[in-house]
């Protein structure tokens, strides 16, 4: 596991660091954009963490950083979208097809519980699992029949799809939740101070889960993992690790996480 710190203060600097490290991980020379010229291979299961403490826009805004990582990972990033001055040359992101980018951030927030008012028996729109970790392109009507499973933790719920009556455990973020009526948001916000969330996003998206702590770090960080290494892992083994982590977080809860954090600090 290799750690490097990106000294640049704009997203373009980080992109250049990601490209350089991706080429090194995948055995491409620094001057090669597509991984043709090979250098001695790096050991199996090698990966790199790029710490990015100097990009001001990312320090307290996880979503901006998350959008950046996703756009780079999908090969859609360009200098203009992040306000960088174009360098006059096209960046070849082809090598990034060989790696997966994973986000870490001090305010990491990707996983949430069920939105308020969505309970067992509620009918929702949900994507279907299509094998492995893939989901259907469209969403289907389904009834929630279980939540907070001891095996899968709080991130997954069990639903029964209405078209074929099949049951699946699906991640909560596979649900397509419509925005609540304006009056609902105002009612919830007026409950502040009475133990009711006054955050409108918690009504629409659900409260943050303690699982997010697993991806928190002192600074915005990008983890590069080779797809060739990921391809050698058994889906069953990956699922087992994810379940173990989810169970641990479900057992700890926010109180346990905060208590452990305070103890370690």
């Amino acid at each position: 596991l290799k750690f490097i710190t990106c000294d640049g203060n704009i997203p373009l600097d980080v992109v250049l660091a990601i490209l350089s490290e991706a080429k090194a991980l995948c055995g491409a020379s620094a001057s090669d954009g597509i991984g043709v010229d090979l250098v001695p291979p790096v050991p199996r299961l090698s990966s790199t963490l790029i710490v990015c403490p100097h990009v001001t826009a990312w320090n307290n805004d996880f979503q901006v950083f998350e959008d950046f990582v996703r756009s780079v990972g999908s090969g859609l990033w360009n200098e203009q979208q992040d306000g960088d001055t174009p360098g006059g040359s096209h960046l070849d992101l082809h090598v990034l097809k060989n790696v997966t980018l994973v986000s870490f951030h001090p305010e990491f927030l990707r996983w949430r519980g069920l939105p308020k008012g969505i309970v067992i028996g509620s009918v929702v729109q949900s994507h279907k699992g299509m094998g492995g970790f893939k989901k259907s392109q469209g969403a289907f009507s389904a009834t929630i029949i279980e939540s907070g499973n001891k095996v899968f933790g709080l991130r997954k719920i069990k639903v029964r799809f209405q078209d074929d009556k099949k049951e699946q455990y699906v991640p909560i973020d596979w649900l397509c939740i419509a925005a609540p009526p304006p009056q609902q948001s105002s009612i919830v916000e007026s409950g502040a101070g009475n133990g009711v969330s006054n955050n409108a996003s918690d009504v629409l998206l659900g409260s943050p889960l303690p699982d997010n702590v697993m991806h928190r770090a002192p600074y915005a960080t990008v983890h590069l993992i080779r797809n060739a290494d990921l391809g050698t892992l058994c889906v069953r083994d990956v699922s087992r690790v994810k379940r173990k982590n989810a169970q641990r977080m479900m057992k700890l809860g926010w109180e346990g996480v905060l208590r452990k954090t305070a103890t370690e600090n």
Side-chain angles (χ1 to χ4, degrees):
L1 181 62
K2 177 182 177 182
F3 289 84
I4 70 166
T5 298
C6 177
D7 294 325
N9 59 7
I10 59 175
L12 175 59
D13 296 327
V14 179
V15 173
L16 295 175
I18 290 173
L19 288 173
S20 176
E21 292 302 319
K23 292 171 184 175
L25 276 175
C26 298
S29 66
S31 61
D32 176 43
I34 58 175
V36 175
D37 300 327
L38 298 181
V39 295
V42 294
R44 180 176 174 270
L45 298 181
S46 296
S47 63
T48 301
L49 287 162
I50 302 177
V51 184
C52 314
H54 304 301
V55 183
T56 305
W58 297 346
N59 289 344
N60 298 308
D61 195 327
F62 165 68
Q63 196 56 56
V64 172
F65 176 65
E66 175 84 328
D67 292 343
F68 164 81
V69 175
R70 286 181 174 175
S71 65
V72 174
S74 61
L76 300 177
W77 183 88
N78 59 71
E79 292 106 322
Q80 290 87 342
Q81 75 184 57
D82 276 307
D84 294 343
T85 302
S89 62
H90 174 67
L91 291 176
D92 189 350
L93 304 182
H94 187 274
V95 70
L96 297 182
K97 293 182 179 179
N98 299 320
V99 297
T100 291
L101 307 183
V102 181
S103 304
F104 290 84
H105 190 275
E107 301 295 333
F108 186 96
L109 177 52
R110 181 183 296 164
W111 299 301
R112 292 175 175 268
L114 285 171
K116 293 183 183 298
I118 304 297
V119 296
I120 293 177
S122 294
V123 177
V124 296
Q125 295 291 311
S126 172
H127 294 278
K128 291 183 178 181
M130 304 300 291
F133 302 111
K134 296 181 179 180
K135 66 179 180 180
S136 62
Q137 185 173 5
F140 302 81
S141 293
T143 302
I144 297 176
I145 58 177
E146 184 182 310
S147 63
N149 183 276
K150 291 183 179 180
V151 175
F152 296 107
L154 297 171
R155 268 190 270 166
K156 285 189 175 184
I157 58 172
K158 191 175 185 179
V159 300
R160 180 183 297 115
F161 289 98
Q162 296 186 351
D163 60 341
D164 56 13
K165 307 304 180 185
K166 291 185 177 179
E167 299 177 357
Q168 283 188 352
Y169 285 98
V170 299
I172 290 176
D173 56 10
W174 283 15
L175 303 185
C176 303
I177 306 297
Q183 64 269 23
Q184 182 176 342
S185 295
S186 62
I187 290 174
V188 173
E189 289 177 6
S190 67
N194 296 320
V196 180
S197 172
N198 63 350
N199 189 335
S201 66
D202 288 353
V203 177
L204 179 57
L205 302 174
S207 299
L209 295 176
D211 302 56
N212 292 289
V213 174
M214 293 187 292
H215 279 255
R216 291 191 175 170
Y219 302 103
T221 300
V222 184
H223 189 187
L224 281 68
I225 306 173
R226 290 184 299 193
N227 290 336
D229 288 333
L230 291 175
T232 66
L233 303 178
C234 173
V235 172
R236 182 175 298 177
D237 290 339
V238 174
S239 296
R240 186 181 300 115
V241 172
K242 288 186 174 182
R243 288 198 300 270
K244 186 175 182 180
N245 288 340
Q247 292 165 8
R248 176 65 170 165
M249 289 296 104
M250 185 177 181
K251 182 178 180 180
L252 281 174
W254 273 115
E255 290 185 3
V257 168
L258 295 175
R259 185 167 55 250
K260 284 185 67 68
T261 303
T263 302
E264 293 173 358
N265 289 340

